[in-house]
Amino acid sequence: MLGKLMKYEFKASGRILMPLYAGILVMAVLSGIFTKASSNIFDIYTVYVAHIPKFISFISTISILLYVILIMTGLILSYIVAIIRFKRNLFGAEGYLMNTLPVTPSQNITAKTLVAVVYQILGMLVSAVSVLIFAIICIDNFAANFTDLFKVLGAFIAEAGVGSVTAFVLESVVLAILCFFCGNLIFYAAISIGHSANLHRVAKSIVAYILLYIAGQIISFNIISIAARIIPITDSMLSIHIILIGTAALEAVYASAYFAITHYFLKNKLNLQ
């Protein structure tokens, strides 16, 4: 049943997000072409048709602005879609159907969280690929510059050690994924708390989010302060690993707590009035 829930979520969210992600890639190509054209106009056009360079430069500026807006919209909308779908699907009019299906609250939460995280990671990857496409089109001798970058990275890896860098990459990836999960689950927990009330549900959801966020920050600050006094570290690479692993552990704990809160309110305090 979890697979069917996720399939439904992928389709519903994809109808909004996939066209936007495609638009980001298309806009990266167009803005790259216009930017390249505006910086390489032949002198003959400048002399005989003076308005052409100005027009192309204007189009280039507009295209870059639209491109940046699309990237920001894609990153933000992936969270907005996840929040709206969770709220409408489980606490809105659709909740009367969703909560009568033969699925558990855990399955509903898991399906929505996994799909949201996949689309958010996809949005980040699409944005990164689009920037790469823009750079390839605009930058002269991009391949040579890219090769130089790899040389610098190679020198860093040789100095730091392959094992240490590999661990750093894996720790960073795990931390990033946990942050995505935690970022969605705190919203779900806040919505679940707020919608257990009869009145002012949205306002109470916002208050719940603020309180959960502040509580998390206070706990993190105290844990970091205690750890800094207990664990004296002189090795910079070791300190980076400890920070990444410790932060990932905290994110995992927070995500589990937010999941538990959401599950409790969905199972015991569901209010569809």
Side-chain angles (χ1 to χ4, degrees), residues 129-150:
V129 170
S130 72
V131 171
L132 183 61
I133 291 171
F134 180 83
I136 290 172
I137 295 172
C138 292
I139 300 175
D140 294 326
N141 300 319
F142 178 81
N145 293 326
F146 208 64
T147 302
D148 292 338
L149 176 61
F150 272 108

Side-chain angles (χ1 to χ4, degrees), residues 46-114:
T46 306
V47 173
Y48 294 103
V49 194
H51 63 279
I52 290 180
K54 294 180 181 179
F55 175 74
I56 294 179
S57 179
F58 173 75
I59 294 297
S60 171
T61 303
I62 295 299
S63 66
I64 291 175
L65 180 62
L66 290 175
Y67 169 52
V68 172
I69 290 174
L70 277 177
I71 289 179
M72 295 175 63
T73 301
L75 297 176
I76 295 171
L77 193 62
S78 62
Y79 280 95
I80 293 176
V81 168
I83 293 168
I84 290 175
R85 284 208 52 75
F86 181 83
K87 179 179 178 295
R88 288 181 178 175
N89 227 208
L90 298 179
F91 295 98
E94 297 177 23
Y96 290 99
L97 173 62
M98 289 298 298
N99 289 290
T100 57
L101 293 175
V103 295
T104 63
S106 294
Q107 288 175 320
N108 273 322
I109 301 167
T110 301
K112 293 188 180 301
T113 307
L114 285 173

Side-chain angles (χ1 to χ4, degrees), residues 191-206:
I191 291 170
S192 301
I193 294 170
H195 282 71
S196 65
N198 293 323
L199 298 172
H200 310 298
R201 296 180 175 183
V202 174
K204 290 177 181 177
S205 296
I206 294 172

Side-chain angles (χ1 to χ4, degrees), residues 32 53 69 101 107 111 124 166 177 184 212 217 230:
I69 290 174
L101 293 175
Q107 288 175 320
M124 295 288 289
T166 302
I177 293 173
N184 287 284
L212 287 172
Q217 294 299 306
I230 294 176

Side-chain angles (χ1 to χ4, degrees), residues 153-171 237 241:
L153 289 175
F156 172 75
I157 292 172
E159 181 179 350
V162 176
S164 182
V165 173
T166 302
F168 170 78
V169 172
L170 290 175
E171 290 158 6
M237 287 302 296
H241 290 306

